[in-house]
Amino acid sequence: MPPLRNGLAAVPRPVCFYLAASFFMGLANTIFDVVFNFYLAERGISEGDAGVIYAVATGAMAVAVVPLLLLGKYVSQRALLIGASVLYTLPFAGLPFVSSIVTASVVLSAILAGMLGLLSVGNAIAGAQVPESGRTRLFSTFFICYLGAGVIGSALVSGIGDRLDTSDLDKYRFFLLLSFVAACVMLLLRLPSAREVPRPAAGTAQDLAGAAGERRNFVTLFVASGFLGASIALFFRFANVLFAQIYDIPVSDISLILGTDKIVSIFGAIFAPVLVKKFSLRPSAAFFGMLAVVGLVLQTFTVPLVVFVVLYLLRLLFNYCLMPLLDTVAMSGFAPARQVVSIALRQSSFYLGGAVAAAVYGSLLDGGRWQAALWVSAGCALVGSLAMTLVRNAERAPEPAGEGKVLENA
């Protein structure tokens, strides 16, 4: 216990609040995700129209990086984080009342735009408060909190839903309001996590030289993040379709399989910092990426259901091994003055790649070409993981004595 207590004491308090806020953000997102499609159906919105809503909202999330970067020149990171928290939280209050494609698109777009700001600025502020050697562990802990909240959120919806003696519409409204409550708790926790991180003065010859040298990193990071987002979008959006097309099993069995994905993903986030200690950042990214490619290629063959399920769960595990590494790369390749930009680019490119790929996968699966969809996903995973290894480290100033222990023993 003393080593654990000492390790936790070494973590800055704003980082602790950041992780707690991430948990409630995951809780709000999961409760909302589980019931929103059913709510839309109750309001008479078809699955095709729901696809339009998600396409508009995902596009808004990708475009939101532009005003975020413009505002970053005029306001502090603390103000940006608080503003993104408010933008994310308040639209949740309107979710139980949307009744058309337009209103649902606007509300969901605001939520996802706020989420982009939270992931970009929040990760940059938290990452700046720990040494580079502790960032993979920090971002792994973020995913553990976020995914752990997802497990709890799914259990809450399942456990409470069976006990509510109301109409389906009122039941879904209750859960959407519950997601708003979780978002409000997240907002309160974001306030003490919004610590202003001093930024170095810009304009010096060294800073300008660094900016010129980082242009290649920006392009490479954009490619890596976009292709990784495109690869995993197949299982994020179409896992149920894949299982139904290939094996023709009941929806209840598919739901049982998909219900284990967050638990497996948590283990993926746990493994990332362990392997980075042994093999360093970029070799670990290449290793997990190659494993993902091999697994996807194997799934293109006619294999027994149990083998396909194991490969599906391994794909999720490899994805959440890669995600903390991708966030670490997004910071390690850039000077502190440009890390908000790099993390925002990583988030925007990831979701933009997923949105574009979803259209491709949808077209392929509509034609029953599930093998082609898996090949596309494998190709994207290969390009994305290799591109990650090409992002070079930025020049670093010496760290103050004693900072290297933060999060190393936590």
Side-chain angles (χ1 to χ4, degrees):
M1 285 302 292
L4 177 61
R5 191 179 299 113
N6 293 337
L8 293 175
V11 181
R13 288 186 75 249
V15 173
C16 294
F17 281 109
Y18 155 79
L19 294 173
S22 299
F23 174 88
F24 281 96
M25 182 171 74
L27 190 63
N29 281 346
T30 299
I31 295 173
F32 149 72
D33 281 338
V34 169
V35 303
F36 192 56
N37 282 344
F38 300 121
Y39 169 79
L40 292 177
E42 285 292 322
R43 299 306 297 259
I45 297 175
S46 67
E47 292 182 0
D49 291 337
V52 173
I53 293 169
Y54 285 114
V56 171
T58 305
M61 186 180 194
V63 173
V65 68
V66 177
L68 176 66
L69 299 182
L70 292 176
L71 287 171
K73 297 180 180 180
Y74 305 104
V75 300
S76 67
Q77 290 185 7
R78 175 181 171 81
L80 280 175
L81 184 59
I82 293 175
S85 301
V86 173
L87 179 61
Y88 172 81
T89 301
L90 293 184
F92 272 93
L95 283 175
F97 308 104
V98 297
S99 57
S100 68
I101 298 174
V102 174
T103 56
S105 298
V106 170
V107 171
L108 190 56
S109 294
I111 290 174
L112 294 185
M115 185 176 175
L116 177 76
L118 289 174
L119 293 174
S120 301
V121 186
N123 288 9
I125 290 176
Q129 296 179 65
V130 301
E132 188 172 347
S133 59
R135 285 175 184 162
T136 300
R137 177 166 293 186
L138 170 68
F139 295 128
S140 294
T141 308
F142 160 78
F143 282 109
I144 292 169
C145 293
Y146 187 87
L147 294 168
V151 174
I152 294 173
S154 298
L156 280 175
V157 173
S158 176
I160 298 176
D162 293 337
R163 291 170 172 78
L164 290 178
D165 188 19
T166 61
S167 67
D168 287 341
L169 181 59
D170 288 338
K171 185 184 300 185
Y172 301 145
R173 279 176 166 166
F174 168 79
F175 284 119
L176 291 174
L177 286 174
L178 190 60
S179 68
F180 172 59
V181 173
C184 288
V185 176
M186 185 282 306
L187 173 60
L188 294 176
L189 291 170
R190 285 288 180 182
L191 299 179
S193 78
R195 176 179 175 182
E196 185 61 30
V197 180
R199 287 179 287 184
T204 64
Q206 183 178 2
D207 183 75
L208 294 176
E214 289 167 3
R215 289 171 187 164
R216 175 181 174 276
N217 278 357
F218 276 117
V219 174
T220 309
L221 178 64
F222 182 85
V223 171
S225 193
F227 276 94
L228 289 175
S231 176
I232 197 60
L234 177 62
F235 286 144
F236 277 173
R237 301 298 182 191
F238 300 103
N240 54 347
V241 178
L242 278 173
F243 280 106
Q245 283 194 3
I246 302 171
Y247 297 101
D248 192 25
I249 56 179
V251 174
S252 58
D253 291 344
I254 295 175
S255 299
L256 182 62
I257 295 170
L258 300 185
T260 62
D261 59 359
K262 288 185 174 62
I263 298 174
V264 173
S265 299
I266 289 173
F267 283 102
I270 292 173
F271 290 153
V274 175
L275 266 76
V276 165
K277 277 191 171 183
K278 293 183 178 295
F279 302 106
S280 77
L281 180 61
R282 283 155 185 81
S284 297
F287 175 72
F288 287 129
M290 292 304 102
L291 288 178
V293 172
V294 171
L296 287 164
V297 170
L298 290 176
Q299 284 181 300
T300 63
F301 299 101
T302 304
V303 296
L305 174 61
V306 65
V307 176
F308 193 93
V309 170
V310 170
L311 292 172
Y312 161 71
L313 295 176
L314 285 175
R315 176 66 186 100
L316 293 175
L317 184 138
F318 298 147
N319 178 70
Y320 281 99
C321 286
L322 282 169
M323 290 301 96
L325 303 184
L326 182 60
D327 285 324
T328 306
V329 165
M331 292 196 72
S332 67
F334 304 90
R338 288 175 289 278
Q339 284 175 352
V340 171
V341 178
S342 67
I343 294 178
L345 181 71
R346 167 265 190 267
Q347 299 290 347
S348 177
S349 178
F350 185 86
Y351 289 104
L352 182 61
V356 173
V360 176
Y361 295 140
S363 176
L364 291 173
L365 293 173
D366 278 344
R369 292 175 289 172
W370 58 269
Q371 288 173 311
L374 285 165
W375 276 110
V376 171
S377 181
C380 290
L382 177 63
V383 174
S385 57
L386 291 179
M388 272 182 67
T389 67
L390 300 178
V391 180
R392 298 173 181 172
N393 280 347
E395 293 293 328
R396 294 291 175 208
E399 293 176 356
E403 282 192 4
K405 295 182 179 180
V406 177
L407 276 184
E408 283 300 299
N409 301 313

